């Protein structure tokens, strides 16, 4: 997992409908701030990586267009705060349970697991404003089972 140390800021995204991920973050230690998203069919997504910050962003929908959302998050230690969401037809903040668990420290993976959607640990979601939208928060959990090899019986 690579550090990005990227900052995405002061952008305007309008009617970006070609992909479900209007912005896709796939590395660690990035900042997405002070952007405006207007009526995009999709979300800002943290697909791979940890410790990303998302703050000071504005999301506006028209209340009609399908799949207009805010954030969809996977991975560990993300911070989502001080964002504004209005008239979204999809979830403002989607903390997804993913289909892979790399563990609380995010280190239990192989290169083949980098295409998976990782379970979320320790996401902080605070001080966001949601107005006339379908839902503020969605968390989907999955049960992860570990199998251990049993000792051979005598």
């Amino acid at each position: 997992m690579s550090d990005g140390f990227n900052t995405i800021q002061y952008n305007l995204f309008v009617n970006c409908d070609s992909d479900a991920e209007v912005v896709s973050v796939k590395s660690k230690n990035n900042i997405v701030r002070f952007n405006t998203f207007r009526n995009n069919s999709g979300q800002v997504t943290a697909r791979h990586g940890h410790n990303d910050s998302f703050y000071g962003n504005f999301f506006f929908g028209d209340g009609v267009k399908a799949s207009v959302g805010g954030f969809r998050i996977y991975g560990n230690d993300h911070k989502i705060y001080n964002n504004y969401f209005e008239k979204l037809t999809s979830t403002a903040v989607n903390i997804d349970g993913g289909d892979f668990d790399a563990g609380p420290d995010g280190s239990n993976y192989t290169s083949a697991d980098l295409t998976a959607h990782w379970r979320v640990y320790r996401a902080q979601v605070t001080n966001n404003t949601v107005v006339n939208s379908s839902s503020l928060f969605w968390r989907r959990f999955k049960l992860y089972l570990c199998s251990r090899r049993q000792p051979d019986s005598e």
Side-chain angles (χ1 to χ4, degrees), residues 19 78 121 141:
D19 193 279
H78 298 300
Y121 287 92
F141 294 97

Side-chain angles (χ1 to χ4, degrees), residues 3-37:
D3 287 307
F5 298 116
N6 298 297
T7 301
I8 300 169
Q9 64 184 7
Y10 304 120
N11 296 289
L12 173 63
F13 299 88
V14 180
N15 292 317
C16 297
D17 300 334
S18 63
D19 193 279
E21 298 177 357
V22 177
V23 172
S24 186
V25 178
K26 296 180 181 176
S27 57
K28 301 186 301 185
N29 298 306
N30 299 291
I31 298 171
V32 178
R33 65 181 180 193
F34 313 136
N35 298 289
T36 301
F37 298 88

